[in-house]
Amino acid sequence: MSESSKSTETSAVPGGTGIERAWTLPSVAYYERETAQREKERIFARTWQIAARSSQLSHANDFVTTELLGEPLLLTRGEGGELRGFYNVCRHRAGPPAEGCGNRKVFRCGYHGWTYSPEGHLLHAPEMEGTENFRAQDFGLLPVRVSEWSGLVFVNLDDQAVPLEEALGELPSQAGKFNFGGMRLHERRDYVMECNWKTYIDNYLEGYHLPSVHPSLNRELDYNQYTTELYPRHSLQWSPIRGAENEKTVARRYRQEVSGGPAAEMRAEYYWIFPNWMLNCYPDNVSLNIVLPLDAERCVAIFEWYFAEEQLRSGIPAETVGFSDEIQVEDGRICETVQRNLRSCSYTRGRYSVKQETALFHFHSLYWALMEV
C-alpha cells in the first residue's frame, strides 16, 4: 500500500462524531514531516508550554535562556518581581542577547555587542552612527507571553491565546490537595524515544495497557476501579492504590513513614494537560512529564520528580525514581514498537475502546480542532 493511498483512506477524523463511531488518527499523522511542521505552527505555538521553574527566577534580575521547538527564549525577573519573556534573538543580525542563566541587569549580544535592558529595551548599538532613520526604540527585543502557576513558568507564542488561568481550568483546584507548588525538585531525567510525540501521549492516556505492559504497576493500582474524567483542556485518570505487600508500594510507604492514614484513602491521580504535559500525583510525591517532538518520529519525555522537604531526607525519593524509571522503560519499549508498526502496510487506523479510551479520543478531538483551523 502506498503512502498516498494510506493517507486518502484515512482522511476521516474523530471530530464531529462520538467515540462509539469514531476511528483513531490516521497512521500517517504519526510520521509525516508535513504534519509535524503543522503541529509546531498550529498546536505548540498556540498553547501554553512549560519553559522553566519559578525557582530559577526567584530573585530580581535573574534570567534563564531556553528553547521551545527551535525558538530561542529569554525569561527574566524584574526588580518588582514581574516576569518577562522575550525571543532571545538580537534585532541586529540575530545574535544571542543572553546565554545560559544567572543574574544580570544588562544583556549584551555576543555577536556585535548590542545591549538590552531587562525590560527588553535597546540600550546601546555600537558603530551604528550614520545609519539613516535608525531609532533604538524600534529595535527592542520582541516579547513573548509568560505566566506562572504552582512553581512553573509557562510561555505562549500566540498573542491571542487565552490566559493561562483559563487554559488550566479546574486543574489548580483539583491538584491543589497535593501541594505541588510547595514541593522541591529532586531529580530530572530525559528519555529520548524513537516514536512520534503523539504515540507516547496516546499510551499515557489509557490504563488499558496496564495489565500487559506494567505488571508491577498493575499490582499497585486497582485496575477494576480505574476511572477517567474529561475536562475542556485536560483529563484525569485515577485509581485507588492497593495496600500491597510489595515493598515498593507507594501507599504502604506513605502510610508507615508519613501520614499514618489508612490505605483506603490513598489514590494515584494522573493529569494530562493539552497538548503535551502531565502531573502524576501520589500521596508522597508529584512527577511532572513534558513531551516534546524532536522530529516526526522522535521525541523526548522530560521527567521531574518533586517531594516535600522532609521527604528529601529519606530514602523515598531514590526508591520512587527507580520504580518510575522501570515503568518508563516499559512505556518507551512499547511506544517504539508501535511507532515502527504504524508504517506497516497492514495498518491505517483503528477503533476506540469506549470503556478504556475516552481520554485518548478526547485528545484526538482537541488535536483536530486546532489542526483544522
Side-chain angles (χ1 to χ4, degrees), residues 222 225 238-244 251-252 254-255 259-268 283:
D222 191 338
Q225 295 190 59
W238 63 268
S239 168
I241 301 175
R242 302 176 193 269
R252 176 176 181 175
Y254 187 78
R255 182 172 68 252
S259 73
E265 297 177 358
M266 305 298 172
R267 71 185 213 175

Side-chain angles (χ1 to χ4, degrees), residues 184-200:
R184 285 185 52 194
L185 175 66
H186 168 67
E187 186 174 338
R188 166 179 166 152
R189 295 187 183 184
D190 292 3
Y191 296 90
V192 176
M193 294 169 287
E194 301 299 317
C195 67
N196 184 273
W197 69 280
K198 298 189 298 300
T199 304
Y200 187 85

Side-chain angles (χ1 to χ4, degrees), residues 9-60:
E9 192 171 300
T10 59
S11 58
V13 299
T17 188
I19 186 174
E20 299 84 357
R21 292 181 291 173
W23 291 79
T24 62
L25 297 181
S27 58
V28 292
Y30 292 83
Y31 55 80
E32 278 187 338
R33 293 191 177 277
E34 297 80 4
T35 297
Q37 180 59 36
R38 289 198 304 274
E39 290 171 349
K40 176 181 176 181
E41 299 167 354
R42 301 182 185 185
I43 293 181
F44 289 95
R46 296 180 179 181
T47 53
W48 287 98
Q49 295 288 315
I50 299 170
R53 298 184 299 276
S54 297
S55 60
Q56 296 174 282
L57 299 161
S58 57
H59 300 98

Side-chain angles (χ1 to χ4, degrees), residues 207-224:
Y208 199 4
H209 69 282
L210 278 177
S212 300
V213 179
H214 303 306
S216 58
L217 181 60
N218 192 51
R219 286 193 294 270
E220 297 196 6
L221 302 180
D222 191 338
Y223 179 78
N224 291 326

Side-chain angles (χ1 to χ4, degrees), residues 14 127 134 142 172 205 211 266 268 278:
E127 312 295 344
F134 177 79
L142 294 183
L205 286 175
M266 305 298 172
M278 307 86 145

Side-chain angles (χ1 to χ4, degrees), residues 39-290:
E39 290 171 349
K40 176 181 176 181
E41 299 167 354
R42 301 182 185 185
I43 293 181
F44 289 95
R46 296 180 179 181
T47 53
W48 287 98
Q49 295 288 315
I50 299 170
R53 298 184 299 276
S54 297
S55 60
Q56 296 174 282
L57 299 161
S58 57
H59 300 98
N61 300 315
D62 280 353
F63 77 93
V64 172
T65 60
T66 186
E67 182 178 294
L68 174 60
L69 296 176
E71 291 292 351
L73 302 174
L74 168 61
L75 309 176
T76 70
R77 181 75 69 184
E79 294 280 358
E82 61 275 15
L83 181 67
R84 296 187 178 93
F86 306 96
Y87 289 93
N88 190 27
V89 179
C90 180
R91 298 294 302 285
H92 175 220
R93 281 178 47 210
E99 296 183 79
C101 60
N103 188 281
R104 191 176 299 171
K105 293 186 177 180
V106 173
F107 298 105
R108 184 179 185 275
C109 178
Y111 198 8
H112 299 102
W114 283 32
T115 58
Y116 297 88
S117 73
E119 295 75 30
H121 304 313
L122 177 61
L123 299 176
H124 182 52
E127 312 295 344
M128 293 298 290
E129 297 84 356
T131 301
E132 293 186 7
N133 300 318
F134 177 79
R135 302 191 312 161
Q137 58 264 41
D138 296 333
F139 289 87
L141 296 178
L142 294 183
V144 297
R145 294 178 65 187
V146 290
S147 192
E148 292 178 279
W149 171 72
S150 203
L152 301 175
V153 177
F154 294 76
V155 300
N156 197 317
L157 305 184
D158 181 7
D159 291 337
Q160 305 303 314
V162 300
L164 175 64
E165 295 76 13
E166 182 178 339
L168 293 177
E170 299 91 337
L171 176 68
S173 60
Q174 292 171 329
K177 59 182 175 289
F178 294 97
N179 191 32
F180 174 52
M183 293 182 174
R184 285 185 52 194
L185 175 66
H186 168 67
E187 186 174 338
R188 166 179 166 152
R189 295 187 183 184
D190 292 3
Y191 296 90
V192 176
M193 294 169 287
E194 301 299 317
C195 67
N196 184 273
W197 69 280
K198 298 189 298 300
T199 304
Y200 187 85
I201 297 291
D202 288 354
N203 178 76
Y204 180 90
L205 286 175
E206 42 90 356
Y208 199 4
H209 69 282
L210 278 177
S212 300
V213 179
H214 303 306
S216 58
L217 181 60
N218 192 51
R219 286 193 294 270
E220 297 196 6
L221 302 180
D222 191 338
Y223 179 78
N224 291 326
Q225 295 190 59
Y226 202 92
T227 303
T228 298
E229 301 176 8
L230 305 181
Y231 299 90
R233 291 184 177 88
H234 75 279
S235 61
L236 164 62
Q237 301 169 83
W238 63 268
S239 168
I241 301 175
R242 302 176 193 269
E245 308 80 28
N246 192 326
E247 288 299 325
K248 294 176 180 176
T249 300
V250 175
R252 176 176 181 175
R253 195 171 60 220
Y254 187 78
R255 182 172 68 252
Q256 291 181 344
E257 302 183 33
V258 183
S259 73
E265 297 177 358
M266 305 298 172
R267 71 185 213 175
E269 298 188 1
Y270 304 102
Y271 295 91
W272 165 81
I273 302 87
F274 181 78
N276 65 319
W277 63 281
M278 307 86 145
L279 287 177
N280 308 307
C281 301
Y282 298 95
D284 61 349
N285 73 90
V286 173
S287 65
L288 168 69
N289 305 158
I290 308 169

